[in-house]
Amino acid sequence: MVSRYIYDEIDSTNLEAFRLAKAEKTQTDTESEEGAVKAPFLVWAKRQTDGRGRVGRKWQSDEGGLFFSLYLRPQVEVDKASMLTVVMALAVTKALKKYLEEYVVWEVERKCELAIKWPNDVIFNRKKVVGILTTLQMDEERTEGDSGYGVVIGVGVNTNQKTFEDELLDKATSLRSEIGVSILDEILLKYIEEYFMQAYTTFEKEQSLAFLKEEYETMLINLNKQVRVLEPAGEYRAVARGINDKGHLVVEKEDGWLCEVYAGEVSVRGLYGYAD
Ligand code: BTN
């Protein structure tokens, strides 16, 4: 199991993970300083006072949600680090599915639509229940044989929250609100960690996402459906055709051209709303 640092309250688990990792950078192999932390490790908080979301948004982090960050030193070139978001999105989705099947079987039979909204949201009954924020930090000096950077994958899962701020109400939900049963964060986190670490080992070995493409696409909410691609330069309509080996979304434009959509500043929406 990955070592865990657990807090009742912290500003942001992403920030804390980088702080702990900095302690690691001051450590030598022979002189282990107190507080020094070796990758991989996980920071888990019950509340965040400064939870961070994508594109500078805040992430509502009151008690009731699962908020954690995984710190890694991936042995992959730095331009591939963002692919870890895709690895995590699939791991979280599989973990949720396993949890719901094992612990909430009646509710799953009644209503449950779990899906990935590329690249980093997980959707339940057409509303967002998971967000992922991957951030990387280059080392000041690169050591021979090391990739020279660390990555924090921050994950927020809306497990047991009872309410959301007004502006989120039509697009976010918690699992408990949907199925009426409390989620055991500890077990869910264990499943997420297991699925992620397994896939991460394969990703480091193969340096590509080819191994998970098929499974990811079975869970992709917009597969073969019309989407709106919102880029800083404008918006266009296309049909989502899946992901490629780099984790980019492949879309077919109205003139038949296939294009790769990169995460970053781009948003993909269904034609009718946030998800579909
Ligand atoms: C998104 O905007 O969809 C990404 C949200 C990521 C939120 C998580 S909660 C745990 C970790 N700590 C943070 O401050 N952010 C991430």
Side-chain angles (χ1 to χ4, degrees), residues 118 229 231 236 247-251 259-263 266-268:
W118 179 91
V229 182
E231 290 182 339
Y236 61 89
H248 303 151
L249 188 71
V250 178
V251 298
C259 298
E260 287 180 21
V261 181
Y262 306 81
V266 176
S267 271
V268 175

Side-chain angles (χ1 to χ4, degrees), residues 158-225:
N158 297 337
T159 48
N160 295 309
Q161 291 101 321
K162 290 187 183 143
T163 65
F164 288 93
E165 288 162 9
D166 287 351
E167 67 267 25
L168 295 176
L169 283 176
D170 59 336
K171 96 171 198 183
T173 189
S174 74
L175 293 157
R176 177 166 130 168
S177 306
E178 295 301 305
I179 60 182
V181 177
S182 291
I183 303 296
L184 302 167
D185 288 349
E186 175 78 50
I187 294 172
L188 179 61
L189 183 55
K190 177 172 164 279
Y191 290 170
I192 295 173
E193 190 187 308
E194 283 168 3
Y195 278 123
F196 179 84
M197 292 310 287
Q198 205 178 17
Y200 176 59
T201 306
T202 311
F203 174 57
E204 276 194 317
K205 199 163 87 207
E206 298 187 3
Q207 307 275 311
S208 152
L209 295 180
F211 74 97
L212 58 66
K213 181 175 143 48
E214 210 176 300
E215 192 174 25
Y216 185 95
E217 287 175 351
T218 62
M219 296 183 170
L220 190 59
I221 192 156
N222 297 118
L223 187 69
N224 295 327
K225 295 200 184 115

Side-chain angles (χ1 to χ4, degrees), residues 12-14 48 51-54 59 68-69 128 131-132 154-156:
S12 153
T13 55
N14 274 26
Q48 299 182 115
R52 313 256 167 122
R54 271 184 86 207
W59 183 258
F68 72 92
S69 299
K128 178 163 169 167
I132 302 170
V155 182

Side-chain angles (χ1 to χ4, degrees), residues 41-271:
F41 65 86
L42 190 146
V43 181
W44 175 16
K46 303 288 156 65
R47 293 183 298 278
Q48 299 182 115
T49 53
D50 188 16
R52 313 256 167 122
R54 271 184 86 207
V55 288
R57 294 195 201 103
K58 76 169 201 171
W59 183 258
Q60 193 183 323
S61 304
D62 310 325
E63 187 128 13
L66 170 60
F67 313 110
F68 72 92
S69 299
L70 184 61
Y71 181 85
L72 303 165
R73 304 271 316 165
Q75 295 308 304
V76 294
E77 285 304 318
V78 67
D79 61 347
K80 294 185 172 168
S82 63
M83 298 185 198
L84 288 165
T85 303
V86 170
V87 179
M88 182 57 89
L90 182 61
V92 177
T93 311
K94 285 168 70 174
L96 280 169
K97 188 164 180 289
K98 177 171 156 129
Y99 182 95
L100 293 169
E101 280 167 3
E102 283 182 3
Y103 289 87
V104 205
V105 68
W106 287 107
E107 281 69 20
V108 172
E109 280 170 11
R110 263 209 322 250
K111 64 166 189 178
C112 163
E113 198 200 22
L114 188 63
I116 299 172
K117 182 177 165 294
W118 179 91
N120 58 345
D121 292 352
V122 181
I123 307 297
F124 192 80
N125 291 340
R126 295 182 148 63
K127 287 187 173 179
K128 178 163 169 167
V129 287
V130 178
I132 302 170
L133 178 65
T134 302
T135 316
L136 67 90
Q137 203 165 60
M138 301 302 298
D139 298 345
E140 275 154 31
E141 282 168 37
R142 187 169 173 175
T143 323
E144 183 84 36
D146 184 67
S147 50
Y149 69 96
V151 170
V152 168
I153 310 174
V155 182
V157 188
N158 297 337
T159 48
N160 295 309
Q161 291 101 321
K162 290 187 183 143
T163 65
F164 288 93
E165 288 162 9
D166 287 351
E167 67 267 25
L168 295 176
L169 283 176
D170 59 336
K171 96 171 198 183
T173 189
S174 74
L175 293 157
R176 177 166 130 168
S177 306
E178 295 301 305
I179 60 182
V181 177
S182 291
I183 303 296
L184 302 167
D185 288 349
E186 175 78 50
I187 294 172
L188 179 61
L189 183 55
K190 177 172 164 279
Y191 290 170
I192 295 173
E193 190 187 308
E194 283 168 3
Y195 278 123
F196 179 84
M197 292 310 287
Q198 205 178 17
Y200 176 59
T201 306
T202 311
F203 174 57
E204 276 194 317
K205 199 163 87 207
E206 298 187 3
Q207 307 275 311
S208 152
L209 295 180
F211 74 97
L212 58 66
K213 181 175 143 48
E214 210 176 300
E215 192 174 25
Y216 185 95
E217 287 175 351
T218 62
M219 296 183 170
L220 190 59
I221 192 156
N222 297 118
L223 187 69
N224 295 327
K225 295 200 184 115
Q226 286 252 351
V227 290
R228 291 185 301 137
V229 182
L230 280 54
E231 290 182 339
E235 176 186 328
Y236 61 89
R237 285 185 183 200
V239 176
R241 292 295 184 205
I243 57 164
N244 62 17
D245 295 354
K246 297 181 191 129
H248 303 151
L249 188 71
V250 178
V251 298
E252 186 177 337
K253 287 188 162 177
E254 283 169 348
D255 56 10
W257 279 94
L258 289 178
C259 298
E260 287 180 21
V261 181
Y262 306 81
E265 296 291 300
V266 176
S267 271
V268 175
R269 298 263 188 279
L271 280 197

